Amino acid sequence: MKRTFPIAVAALLFAGSAFADNCTIDLDGNDQMKFDKSEVTVSASCPEITINLTHSGQLPVNAMGHNVVITQTGDYMPVAQDGVKAGLDNDYVPVDDSRVIAHTDMIGGGETTTVTFPGDKLSAGGDYSFFCSFPGHWTMMVGKVIVE
Ligand code: ZN
């Protein structure tokens, strides 16, 4: 059993990636307060969606922190404003807020973070945005999440 387990897991992962079109969102933030993409696309059929965030800059989290928050586009500005009040201890994300569909941890330069959320939280054709909720960043670090 011990010897076959890793093979089974590998097969499962392979099967998952083969059947699900696009269930991963890869984003990079830098010291220029920018994400490397202005839109990302995921498949509506994804059982789970993974957000991988890298911070390719060097500045620390309290100076140039980045995260990825996904909300409906109409919620993005009020959630960002409430996130400022929530503070760095809460990664500038309102706590237990149903408007927040998913969010990563807040990271500094050289760090990476990953989060996974249920794919059924996003509907095909919905109007969603991703943004960094660090104070002042969300006006520049914002983009569309397209669900196909
Ligand atoms: Zn940021």
Side-chain angles (χ1 to χ4, degrees):
M1 198 59 195
K2 261 183 185 168
R3 293 182 64 181
T4 55
F5 182 70
I7 296 166
V9 170
L12 207 66
L13 289 172
F14 180 76
S17 62
F19 285 108
D21 295 335
N22 183 14
C23 301
T24 305
I25 296 170
D26 291 315
L27 283 166
D28 179 78
N30 61 23
D31 283 346
Q32 283 71 51
M33 210 194 294
K34 282 186 177 158
F35 281 130
D36 62 334
K37 298 184 182 80
S38 58
E39 64 177 49
V40 296
T41 302
V42 293
S43 307
S45 59
C46 294
E48 287 190 324
I49 296 170
T50 300
I51 304 171
N52 296 316
L53 172 65
T54 59
H55 189 323
S56 58
Q58 298 182 332
L59 294 171
V61 66
N62 59 354
M64 185 57 70
H66 298 318
N67 66 358
V68 175
V69 180
I70 296 177
T71 64
Q72 300 218 26
T73 296
D75 289 336
Y76 123 76
M77 281 197 274
V79 167
Q81 285 161 352
D82 288 347
V84 174
K85 295 174 204 155
L88 181 57
D89 285 350
N90 294 308
D91 289 343
Y92 295 110
V93 177
V95 178
D96 294 332
D97 192 316
S98 61
R99 296 171 299 175
V100 176
I101 294 168
H103 74 92
T104 70
D105 292 339
M106 185 74 66
I107 59 172
E111 297 179 324
T112 63
T113 187
T114 295
V115 72
T116 298
F117 64 97
D120 62 6
K121 287 193 165 190
L122 298 175
S123 306
D127 188 1
Y128 305 100
S129 291
F130 70 86
F131 62 97
C132 171
S133 66
F134 193 94
H137 289 200
W138 47 274
T139 53
M140 286 183 65
M141 300 185 74
V142 59
K144 282 185 100 47
V145 181
I146 296 162
V147 188
E148 298 180 328

